[in-house]
Amino acid sequence: MIHKKYITLILVALLILPAVLSQITRSQVETTIYPMRVYDTGLSEAGVNTYMAHFISDDLLMIASDHGDVDLGGRYVSSKGNIYIYKFEDGKWKKIKTLSAGTYRVGTWTQVTSDFGFFSGNGRYLLEDMFDGAYGTNAKVIDLTDLSTRTIDFSGLPSTNFYPCQIDYTGDYIASGTQSGDIYVWKWDPSQNKYVLIFSYHIGGNIRRLHMTLDARWLIVGGLNNPHLYIFKRTGSTFELVNTIDLEDGVGALGITDPWNVGYIAVGGDSGWVYVFNATKDPANPVLIFKEKLGTGRFYNPFYDRFMPKNVIVLAFKQYSSSSSDSTPAVIVDIMSRKAFKYNEIGRACAVSPSGTWVLLGDAIYMITQMKI
């Protein structure tokens, strides 16, 4: 039974679908979905170049103007920049809240701490953004239950110009990469009361994206100017490189659809290539199922966000926008038919809602209509 709040949009979809069908290519006729642009957030007109975005739920969206994250349990949001909250109600999307940098409770929108960063899978811990333009080597882990902190041992590292970072489900493992091409993993040691380094590896390039699964079993990494995707697996107390996948260009965007088991791997290249790998059967040996040059430059999103769609229908990619007036390629890939829809939108952010009903591209929201074939 379709919820009444979708009736308005479905009626609009039925009216414009013939026009959409007349404009798609022969190959796209075989697709299982049709995206329709239904809402402009208005952020670009306000001078905001969207940076990252996450759907908190199918009717609640967070857009950030800088690095940001949403607790997988939907309890907290955090960002280095401003946070814009949009809600779907009464048949349309509307902005309901604007927040400054920091970490906030969802719903009440009260600030928990002025610090910002990335959440552990259980939502208890906040890893302060290790980007060298944020906390850098001063980053710590905050226990959100009482705001106590844990320290990270940064001593003796070959490079500390960090960019991406993630923390596992329980807050025991931290992974990060540097713009000099170094990968690090730390583990919490209660006897020393700090996170200690357990793994270091140099891949070269400028590491901007990585994903560590919630059980810290798999680590997937890529960098700018390095045409490879690296897959590491934890064995005991360390990691080993189990696969190096050749690409046409470096990694500018990286996402996984299953934060426990990898799922599909979405890669946006730094010169416009888009790749999708199926790692549902064996994360060590993912199968390439989609590859096409769809951009004119570096894809920026997906970032190192984690999301858990109930059923993976589409993936989204957004090329870098230099300003709030720079319109660049935005892509939706239909996983079932392995077809791509290409648009141009302003902003860097993209996100897919848990059910796959909504996609944010830049500063615009698209509705995904699923077709029976």
Side-chain angles (χ1 to χ4, degrees):
M1 179 174 173
I2 301 175
H3 194 282
K4 64 180 180 180
K5 69 182 181 180
Y6 292 107
I7 291 177
T8 301
L9 282 174
I10 290 172
L11 290 173
V12 171
L14 291 173
L15 288 171
I16 68 175
L17 188 55
V20 174
L21 288 169
S22 68
Q23 296 176 26
I24 62 177
T25 66
R26 183 179 300 274
S27 64
Q28 287 174 322
V29 171
E30 300 169 2
T31 190
T32 60
I33 60 102
Y34 294 107
M36 284 165 284
R37 194 180 195 272
V38 297
Y39 183 73
D40 190 319
T41 64
L43 291 175
S44 61
E45 289 87 345
V48 177
N49 188 9
T50 64
Y51 196 96
M52 290 181 71
H54 303 265
F55 280 89
I56 304 169
S57 64
D58 275 307
D59 59 3
L60 201 60
L61 168 66
M62 178 269 255
I63 302 175
S65 63
D66 211 309
H67 294 185
D69 197 18
V70 171
D71 159 40
L72 288 177
R75 292 157 292 186
Y76 304 104
V77 296
S78 185
S79 179
K80 180 175 179 286
N82 288 337
I83 300 170
Y84 306 92
I85 304 297
Y86 289 80
K87 185 174 178 61
F88 184 82
E89 56 184 2
D90 300 324
K92 61 182 179 180
W93 285 95
K94 61 180 72 174
K95 186 169 69 173
I96 62 168
K97 187 67 67 172
T98 300
L99 307 166
S100 58
T103 299
Y104 298 82
R105 286 187 177 86
V106 172
T108 63
W109 309 114
T110 54
Q111 190 176 77
V112 179
T113 173
S114 59
D115 295 305
F116 53 86
F118 305 95
F119 300 102
S120 60
N122 62 10
R124 176 174 177 175
Y125 297 100
L126 179 76
L127 169 63
E128 290 183 328
D129 190 351
M130 293 172 65
F131 170 47
D132 65 356
Y135 294 97
T137 54
N138 292 315
K140 57 188 179 295
V141 173
I142 301 173
D143 186 334
L144 295 176
T145 62
D146 57 11
L147 299 184
S148 60
T149 60
R150 293 177 168 185
T151 60
I152 305 168
D153 187 351
F154 292 108
S155 62
L157 303 179
S159 65
T160 56
N161 52 343
F162 302 112
Y163 199 101
C165 60
Q166 281 196 339
I167 185 168
D168 73 336
Y169 186 84
T170 57
D172 289 321
Y173 291 88
I174 293 171
S176 184
T178 74
Q179 295 166 68
S180 298
D182 293 307
I183 301 165
Y184 307 118
V185 179
W186 293 263
K187 188 176 188 297
W188 174 247
D189 186 341
S191 66
Q192 299 186 59
N193 200 35
K194 64 181 180 181
Y195 288 91
V196 296
L197 189 71
I198 63 167
F199 179 72
S200 176
Y201 195 94
H202 182 77
I203 65 169
N206 181 343
I207 300 174
R208 294 300 186 96
R209 304 291 183 263
L210 64 75
H211 273 282
M212 179 172 64
T213 53
L214 293 178
D215 56 3
R217 186 162 46 104
W218 298 98
L219 180 63
I220 302 170
V221 186
L224 302 177
N225 308 312
N226 183 344
H228 302 93
L229 187 67
Y230 298 85
I231 300 177
F232 298 85
K233 183 178 181 180
R234 179 166 60 86
T235 55
S237 60
T238 190
F239 286 76
E240 63 174 333
L241 179 65
V242 295
N243 201 346
T244 302
I245 300 173
D246 295 335
L247 304 173
E248 299 291 339
D249 53 357
V251 176
L254 178 64
I256 62 174
T257 63
D258 185 339
W260 287 104
N261 301 301
V262 181
Y264 292 92
I265 304 172
V267 180
D270 60 11
S271 68
W273 285 88
V274 169
Y275 316 81
V276 178
F277 296 88
N278 186 343
T280 57
K281 293 184 178 180
D282 182 7
N285 296 285
V287 177
L288 180 66
I289 63 170
F290 181 88
K291 174 184 171 183
E292 189 173 343
K293 188 166 186 180
L294 294 165
T296 57
R298 174 192 171 188
F299 278 97
Y300 205 76
N301 271 280
F303 221 84
Y304 37 95
D305 53 309
R306 298 167 171 144
F307 63 99
M308 292 193 292
K310 298 171 185 175
N311 182 29
V312 181
I313 300 167
V314 297
L315 295 174
F317 302 81
K318 184 64 184 73
Q319 187 173 305
Y320 182 89
S321 287
S322 60
S323 70
S324 59
S325 60
D326 184 21
S327 182
T328 59
V331 174
I332 295 173
V333 175
D334 177 353
I335 290 297
M336 291 293 293
S337 66
R338 302 177 188 179
K339 306 295 181 182
F341 295 79
K342 182 180 175 182
Y343 309 92
N344 279 281
E345 295 289 356
I346 297 172
R348 310 177 197 179
C350 69
V352 180
S353 72
S355 70
T357 302
W358 308 104
V359 173
L360 176 84
L361 293 177
D363 66 349
I365 296 175
Y366 287 70
M367 185 177 73
I368 304 299
T369 302
Q370 296 184 55
M371 308 297 291
K372 293 182 179 180
I373 59 173

